[in-house]
Amino acid sequence: MELIHIKIFNQEKAYDVWIEEDCKVNDFIEDVIQLWFKEQYAYEHFLYHIDEKKILVSHLSFKENHVIHSDQLILF
């Protein structure tokens, strides 16, 4: 298991994040919404990979989505 460093953007700011590459995208999104934004999971959020120009598959890990060190993602 390896840690990768990524940057997450939302409408307000950017976050530098270290994440385990084997972490499932959906688990990460659920934790982020609750911890950073303190909101209920009212609608489905997703991560968009800026360089690859695609939405990450939520049931796959970051590694399985081919996210690597220094990638930039947008949280919607």
Side-chain angles (χ1 to χ4, degrees), residues 17-62:
V17 177
W18 286 92
I19 186 93
E20 293 178 0
E21 66 181 0
D22 294 333
C23 177
K24 300 290 183 199
V25 171
N26 197 47
D27 293 341
F28 173 78
I29 291 173
E30 287 178 10
D31 290 344
V32 162
I33 297 305
Q34 291 175 357
L35 294 172
W36 292 354
F37 308 118
K38 310 251 188 295
E39 63 180 65
Q40 296 292 348
Y41 210 70
Y43 60 92
E44 187 153 354
H45 295 273
F46 59 91
L47 287 172
Y48 178 79
H49 194 291
I50 295 173
D51 295 327
E52 297 290 324
K53 296 178 178 56
K54 68 175 188 175
I55 296 172
L56 299 186
V57 179
S58 63
H59 68 275
L60 298 179
S61 70
F62 283 88

